[in-house]
Amino acid sequence: MKPMTDTASLFLRFAVGLAVASLLALPATAAEDHHQADAVSTEFGAGGGEGEIVAIADILGDAAAWEGREVRVSGEITGVCQIAGCWIEIDDGGGTLRLKVNDGDIVFPTAAQGHQAIARGVVERRELDRERYVGWKQHLADELGEEFDPASVGDGPYVIVQLRGLGATVDGDVPEGDLSDTGTAEG
């Protein structure tokens, strides 16, 4: 048998090294593929879209500057409209913002609560007088089945900041459909 040349020896070491590296990478690649297969999300409306995520505190801190602008926010869904599924509240750890849609345009099931989401909408800022603000707070309490005392409303200013909803992408397999599918409203 002929002795190996330096080139053949180098090539053989390279091939063995490449084979070993490939074998070591297999478990990581398989784990990544498994994770991606488990990464299920549910889109509502136009979904969460693409682009920069804006901190909710930034929007709430200067709502007038953000008014009329389309934004994306990300966080946990901490509330869902119990009557028509027409809004969700998103908390990113720095603030909470409501994504509101017209009744029936998008129906967010109550099962979405507790899931992470990316929500997209246009910032709305409305100034209200005390009477209208009290009426709005009473409406929210009624939706949630909570008691409300109008005397708890302070002196103002009375400003509502929310997103006019375009869509949301919710992490996990969240059932779509009307609220009767979630067992929370009369069918």
Side-chain angles (χ1 to χ4, degrees):
M1 189 151 124
K2 288 181 167 181
M4 246 190 241
T5 64
D6 287 340
T7 304
S9 175
L10 182 61
F11 178 76
L12 183 60
R13 280 187 276 177
F14 174 76
V16 169
L18 185 60
V20 169
S22 296
L23 288 173
L24 291 175
L26 267 178
T29 304
E32 287 172 15
D33 289 344
H34 179 70
H35 175 70
Q36 288 173 354
D38 287 348
V40 174
S41 62
T42 306
E43 296 222 342
F44 294 90
E50 298 291 327
E52 179 184 354
I53 300 290
V54 178
I56 292 173
D58 290 348
I59 296 168
L60 297 176
D62 193 3
W66 289 94
E67 189 172 9
R69 293 175 59 187
E70 184 177 316
V71 299
R72 296 173 71 230
V73 297
S74 176
E76 181 182 349
I77 298 176
T78 57
V80 180
C81 174
Q82 303 292 302
I83 296 172
C86 63
W87 56 260
I88 55 174
E89 288 184 340
I90 305 284
D91 184 339
D92 69 357
T96 302
L97 195 58
R98 178 172 290 199
L99 177 87
K100 172 73 173 98
V101 299
N102 292 328
D103 290 359
D105 285 355
I106 300 172
V107 178
F108 296 104
T110 55
Q113 188 160 335
H115 289 260
Q116 293 293 310
I118 296 174
R120 183 166 53 107
V122 177
V123 176
E124 293 182 331
R125 179 182 176 277
R126 295 187 318 177
E127 294 185 36
L128 303 175
D129 61 26
R130 187 177 194 288
E131 181 180 345
R132 284 190 165 171
Y133 186 75
V134 166
W136 182 73
K137 295 292 273 183
Q138 181 66 60
H139 171 75
L140 293 180
D142 291 346
E143 281 185 341
L144 298 173
E146 298 175 352
E147 293 291 320
F148 173 71
D149 179 9
S152 68
V153 174
D155 294 330
Y158 308 108
V159 179
I160 298 171
V161 179
Q162 64 182 15
L163 298 181
R164 172 61 46 201
L166 299 172
T169 301
V170 179
D171 287 352
D173 187 14
V174 179
E176 297 183 58
D178 64 22
L179 289 175
S180 62
D181 291 341
T182 64
T184 59
E186 292 180 45

